Amino acid sequence: MLPKPWDIVSSERRDKLRIFGLRVDRAVSPRTGKAHDFYVLESGSWVNVIPITPAQEVVLIRQYRHGTREVTLEIPGGIVEPGDSPQEAARRELREETGYAAGEMVGLGFVHPNPAFLDNRCYTFLAPGAFRAGPQTQDEKEDIHVLLKPLAEIPGLIREGTITHSLVVAAFYRLFMEHPPLASESGHATK
């Protein structure tokens, strides 16, 4: 028998922080009939962008991440602001974080970052033909360095542990595995 959704007995919002809210749900297991508390981080959706230049280079960013206290290698991304569509947010984040733009944003789907305790989605977009459009416009909490890497090198960067951000790895999975025509147009053959 397949698992069923649990009945929510109560739901209480505890805290609202800049990027997360904390909600406590009390839910009853359909299997055991017992109630349990679940802590859920409420967040707006997020976006990731895979910008690829006409020279088949990926526009990547290096930035400090306080959660792990490390500098990471990633693709541009951020929060979908209220009133924005995921595509609008992808265009904005690409421009702000890198100074690059693209005429087209190709949706590659979404993932749930961690459905155990997060309620949001992370949308991925491919930005083919990305070009330098101007300077970066970073906010006060960003210190981003932009670099270009050949698209063909991305799988190796993931394998060797240079790219470790799970949502970035998921974004490249979407490109290389689920959209092989896009990946092969970008110079990466898939089987």
Side-chain angles (χ1 to χ4, degrees):
M1 182 157 99
L2 292 174
K4 296 179 184 175
W6 293 28
D7 292 326
I8 305 298
V9 177
S10 65
S11 186
E12 173 189 351
R13 285 193 172 73
R14 295 271 177 99
D15 290 309
K16 180 70 176 158
L17 306 171
R18 183 178 167 271
I19 59 171
F20 291 111
L22 175 62
R23 184 182 79 227
V24 181
D25 290 344
R26 186 141 184 91
V28 176
S29 165
R31 184 178 61 83
T32 67
K34 293 183 180 179
H36 302 275
D37 288 337
F38 294 90
Y39 294 85
V40 179
L41 293 177
E42 298 179 314
S43 178
S45 290
W46 304 328
V47 293
N48 271 334
V49 184
I50 303 173
I52 301 177
T53 69
Q56 303 308 305
E57 293 178 306
V58 180
V59 180
L60 296 168
I61 60 174
R62 284 197 192 281
Q63 66 180 325
Y64 174 74
R65 293 301 200 174
H66 192 75
T68 57
R69 296 182 180 173
E70 295 178 358
V71 174
T72 61
L73 182 62
E74 304 177 9
I75 52 179
I79 295 174
V80 178
E81 299 289 346
D84 276 355
S85 69
Q87 187 178 73
E88 291 167 332
R91 286 187 186 284
R92 183 189 68 251
E93 292 293 338
L94 173 61
R95 183 71 173 82
E96 289 176 359
E97 292 188 354
T98 68
Y100 279 73
E104 183 180 12
M105 284 285 170
V106 179
L108 300 181
F110 71 87
V111 294
H112 291 107
N114 190 331
F117 62 88
L118 286 165
D119 69 346
N120 65 338
R121 293 178 175 188
C122 182
Y123 295 88
T124 298
F125 292 88
L126 172 67
F131 60 92
R132 183 84 173 165
Q136 295 168 275
T137 55
Q138 301 175 59
D139 67 35
E140 293 178 354
K141 293 181 182 173
E142 292 176 319
D143 187 9
I144 296 173
H145 172 76
V146 177
L147 68 151
L148 304 176
K149 289 282 189 183
L151 179 60
E153 291 182 15
I154 298 299
L157 293 171
I158 293 170
R159 264 193 305 278
E160 69 190 27
T162 301
I163 295 175
T164 59
H165 191 307
S166 62
L167 296 175
V168 174
V169 173
F172 282 116
Y173 171 84
R174 291 277 189 188
L175 178 65
F176 291 127
M177 300 302 293
E178 296 183 12
H179 298 277
L182 294 175
S184 62
E185 287 171 17
S186 300
H188 180 81
T190 58
K191 294 186 178 190

